[in-house]
Amino acid sequence: MSQPDAPVDPVAQVLVDVPLAHLDRPFDYAVPAALAEAARPGARVKVRFAGRDVDGFVLARSAGTEHEGRLAPLRRVVSPEPVLTSEIAELTARVAARYAGTRSDVLRLAVPPRHARVEAEPWAPVAEPAVDRPAAVAAWVGHEHAEAFVAHLGSGGSPRAVWTAAPTADWARLLAHVVAVTRASGRGAVVCVPDVRDVARLAGALDDVLGPDQYATLTADLGPAKRYREFLSVLRGARRVAIGTRSAAFAPVRDLGLVAVWDDGDDLHAEPRAPYPHTRETLLLRASQQGAGALVGGYGRSVEAAYLVRTGWAHEIAATRELVRERVSVLVAGATDAELERDPYARGARLPTAAYHAVRDGLEDGPVLVQTPRSGYAPSVACERCRAPARCASCTGPLGLSGPTSPPACRWCGAVAEAWACAACGHRGLRAPVLGDSRTAEELGRTFPQVPIVRSAGDQVKDAVGDRPEIVVATPGGEPVAAHGYAAVVLLDTWLALARADLRAAEESLRRWLNAGALVRPGGRVVAVGDPSHPALQALVRWDPAGFAEREIEERRSALPTRGATRHGHRRARCCRRAAAVDDPTPGGEVLGPVPHGADGEWRAVLRVPRAHGAQLANALAEAQRQRSAHKLVAVRVQLDPVSL
């Protein structure tokens, strides 16, 4: 007589969905005989907890328990589908520990809500793909050490690399080839990208290289039914490749051989919900846990990625200098004395002669991209006479203009200030020190009256443009892809991006400029308007994101030399030094603040410790959260390694 597949142990260890830090642990429940087969590890169940029915996942089954009293029974099995695999259960525990959070919060990110009708649909495995390995190697020509990386993956190895893509390179197709080689070795892959536009681009490349039925797409905008269907196709092994945004990092791919993240410096990779995990860190934890290869790629290089290379955890894949010089040329307007003699206002004009010529000459061959850092018309205005910022009389918020004929209006409360007068000098005239994309498009339309102007910003982002001569005005991240690349790229108002009060201002600015500059066609030209002496612009001219990232590592040693965290709370949460921070969290650590931060009486404290004590910091913060939860104190928001500081 054959034995049943389901475990028969009478005790189930259940992780209940309770958002209380001091209850973040498995609880033992008795398994009724009627549920013994369905209540398998990974299944969703209902249990009685604190006098009410709550959801939970079965983590394991055992023959006994350490609990001395009588165990409460499972109420029912919501679904016998083992949606929480052992690998993902362990990963969620590691992510929760890494970010001082609770597993229940991480599980909400990892496992999508159930859709019963989809769960009952029949399914069948997909045939193994045919992979052209020589084509995969050929696609990576010009990237040093890429051939060895691809060969290692194809032989079943688990190489780890940080990849700086060459300008004009089709990153999606290169990733598709790497995924195909991984599949040829009999293993699966997970690839995460910043947004749905990137997902669509990667999906198109995988259709060509691997086949349209070989991968699952996991994004938040799919809808409940389709998202759950894609999730199940990976869980059941029908598909061995998962691509998508943040949540795809937890996809239960079988026999995982590769995890990859594109443009890891994009802040879209940072989860906005507690415990705020970053896609890159989640994937690296998963690679270490499951022995998979790892690839962190982008046109730029984040400080975190550079640190992986510095420590030897990953090797470097980068374009050769010959290929970079062949693909793109970059100049900063007014960078030389000869150029300043021809155009004395090159460093002060918004569209100097060099940028004007780049647009004019580029339009003879195809489309031209103009990147401006702000959306809207004139998001901030000032007094025309004394240059004092224009403020709202009601709430003192900043005034802005939404159009050429619109009166100034407050960006905070929306009040219209038709009769505005400067509080300092009484003058009624306004000037716009910062111009948005719509005003930029208006000015370029006057300068080139016969040329079509296309805007791509805000809720009007374009995915792609053709090859006709036109000017595309876009904000960072909203640049559409040209069919055969842009003839020229112009980067305006670089000073504005660099002026942000943020630790990552220069790193983020360079990343955005490189992403825009990489959209030129081979041999194209990039012109930046800004201070040619700034290190970020110098790195752009050299196309040297790796060198700039190393410089940032050294400079940050004095400000945030290691790992850091922030804690946010309110006065009513007693957010003083004791409540808002952890006193002496680890040896060599320190607490900065707390200080007022934001509106509504919020306070913030910054903690920083040596990198070697990062795990101790996470443990100290997690224990502090458990203590607050156990004593029913007002919650304090904790965020480790915040993207913005």
Side-chain angles (χ1 to χ4, degrees):
M1 181 176 179
S2 62
Q3 297 295 323
D5 294 333
V8 295
D9 294 323
V11 177
Q13 298 173 9
V14 179
L15 186 65
V16 296
D17 186 9
V18 177
L20 296 174
H22 69 291
L23 299 177
D24 185 32
R25 61 183 177 85
F27 291 87
D28 288 346
Y29 284 86
V31 181
L35 303 179
E37 185 175 350
R40 64 186 69 184
R44 304 178 199 256
V45 294
K46 284 281 188 182
V47 297
R48 197 71 175 170
F49 192 87
R52 59 190 181 93
D53 285 350
V54 298
D55 296 319
F57 292 95
V58 177
L59 294 183
R61 294 281 292 272
S62 62
T65 177
E66 296 180 357
H67 181 67
E68 296 180 355
R70 177 176 174 272
L71 293 180
L74 298 178
R75 301 283 282 185
R76 66 185 179 92
V77 176
V78 177
S79 169
E81 188 80 39
V83 292
L84 182 60
T85 64
S86 59
E87 293 85 2
I88 301 303
E90 181 181 350
L91 178 63
T92 57
R94 293 192 179 196
V95 171
R98 169 70 170 75
Y99 288 96
T102 62
R103 293 183 66 177
S104 60
D105 284 338
V106 182
L107 282 172
R108 292 191 189 99
L109 308 176
V111 182
R114 179 175 180 251
H115 200 284
R117 179 178 57 80
V118 172
E119 203 170 79
E121 293 175 353
W123 64 280
V126 177
E128 290 294 313
V131 176
D132 187 351
R133 295 197 185 200
V137 174
W140 283 83
V141 169
H143 290 85
E144 293 180 315
H145 312 304
E147 183 177 352
F149 181 85
V150 174
H152 197 180
L153 270 180
S155 63
S158 301
R160 299 179 296 212
V162 171
W163 162 41
T164 303
T168 79
D170 187 348
W171 62 266
R173 184 164 289 274
L174 293 180
L175 279 176
H177 280 297
V178 169
V179 170
V181 169
T182 306
R183 284 294 294 115
S185 70
R187 299 175 296 168
V190 172
V191 184
C192 293
V193 295
D195 58 33
V196 293
R197 296 170 63 227
D198 294 322
V199 171
R201 188 172 176 184
L202 179 58
L206 285 171
D207 286 343
D208 294 339
V209 174
L210 200 62
D213 296 325
Q214 295 293 331
Y215 62 91
T217 302
L218 298 172
T219 60
D221 65 337
L222 288 178
K226 187 173 182 180
R227 182 183 177 191
Y228 196 57
R229 184 178 294 111
E230 296 288 295
F231 173 81
L232 288 181
S233 71
V234 176
L235 177 70
R236 294 167 173 174
R239 294 186 176 91
R240 305 279 293 281
V241 175
I243 66 172
T245 49
R246 295 184 299 265
S247 62
F250 297 94
V253 172
R254 295 188 180 181
D255 302 320
L256 186 65
L258 174 70
V259 297
V261 57
W262 171 254
D263 199 10
D264 68 297
D266 195 315
D267 58 8
L268 291 175
H269 282 300
E271 176 61 48
R273 295 171 292 178
Y276 316 104
H278 195 284
T279 301
R280 176 191 57 246
E281 303 305 319
T282 301
L283 290 176
L284 296 184
L285 284 172
R286 191 169 183 185
S288 298
Q289 169 197 334
Q290 297 185 239
L295 183 61
V296 180
Y299 290 119
R301 180 174 294 184
S302 66
V303 169
E304 290 78 7
Y307 195 80
L308 295 176
V309 176
R310 170 180 281 206
T311 59
W313 192 91
H315 296 288
E316 181 181 41
I317 297 177
T320 62
R321 297 310 303 173
E322 293 77 11
L323 182 61
V324 171
R325 286 192 290 267
E326 175 188 326
R327 293 282 182 89
V328 67
S329 63
V330 185
L331 64 90
V332 179
T336 64
D337 293 338
E339 189 175 349
L340 287 175
E341 289 181 5
R342 292 192 298 269
D343 183 8
Y345 300 101
R347 293 184 181 177
R350 187 161 190 259
L351 190 70
T353 302
Y356 170 81
H357 286 166
V359 176
R360 183 197 62 187
D361 298 343
L363 289 172
E364 296 179 359
D365 298 326
V368 173
L369 173 65
V370 177
Q371 185 196 73
T372 181
R374 296 293 293 271
S375 60
Y377 189 79
S380 64
V381 290
C383 176
E384 188 178 35
R385 178 186 293 170
C386 70
R387 304 297 194 261
R391 294 286 178 176
C392 175
S394 301
C395 69
T396 70
L399 297 183
L401 298 175
S402 60
T405 60
S406 302
C410 179
R411 290 166 48 199
W412 288 0
C413 68
V416 177
E418 293 183 348
W420 177 87
C422 180
C425 67
H427 189 67
R428 293 184 177 276
L430 290 169
R431 66 184 298 270
V434 177
L435 301 180
D437 69 292
S438 59
R439 175 64 180 269
T440 302
E442 181 182 291
E443 292 181 348
L444 290 171
R446 295 195 192 104
T447 306
F448 301 94
Q450 305 301 321
V451 179
I453 307 293
V454 178
R455 287 180 55 211
S456 181
D459 56 355
Q460 300 179 355
V461 172
K462 310 290 185 184
D463 292 334
V465 295
D467 284 331
R468 68 169 184 167
E470 61 186 4
I471 299 176
V472 179
V473 180
T475 51
E479 303 93 348
V481 177
H484 294 92
Y486 290 98
V489 173
V490 176
L491 308 172
L492 297 180
D493 301 333
T494 58
W495 63 270
L496 184 59
L498 293 169
R500 292 188 308 121
D502 192 280
L503 184 68
R504 295 181 183 268
E507 176 191 348
E508 176 65 8
S509 299
L510 179 60
R511 184 190 70 83
R512 293 178 174 185
W513 300 335
L514 291 170
N515 284 353
L519 297 177
V520 298
R521 61 186 56 169
R525 182 165 48 151
V526 178
V527 177
V529 181
D531 180 6
S533 65
H534 196 284
L537 282 167
Q538 292 178 0
L540 175 66
V541 171
R542 299 191 307 272
W543 205 275
D544 183 25
F548 184 79
E550 287 294 326
R551 176 192 176 99
E552 284 289 290
I553 289 177
E554 295 300 325
E555 289 191 350
R556 289 185 195 179
R557 286 181 181 273
S558 59
L560 195 65
T562 53
R563 289 193 59 191
T566 60
R567 295 194 71 181
H568 298 254
H570 295 77
R571 286 184 180 274
R572 62 191 180 91
R574 291 186 298 167
C575 190
C576 58
R577 178 174 290 272
R578 182 186 300 175
V582 177
D583 290 326
D584 300 325
T586 63
E590 60 179 324
V591 179
L592 308 179
V595 296
H597 179 78
D600 301 327
E602 186 176 77
W603 289 61
R604 183 185 74 177
V606 177
L607 296 79
R608 55 184 185 182
V609 299
R611 180 173 291 274
H613 300 300
Q616 293 175 254
L617 173 63
N619 292 337
L621 289 169
E623 179 59 29
Q625 290 292 76
R626 284 191 287 269
Q627 293 296 325
R628 295 190 65 85
S629 174
H631 293 89
K632 299 181 179 180
L633 300 178
V634 178
V636 173
R637 179 161 57 92
V638 173
Q639 188 170 3
L640 266 83
D641 299 332
V643 173
S644 177
L645 184 61

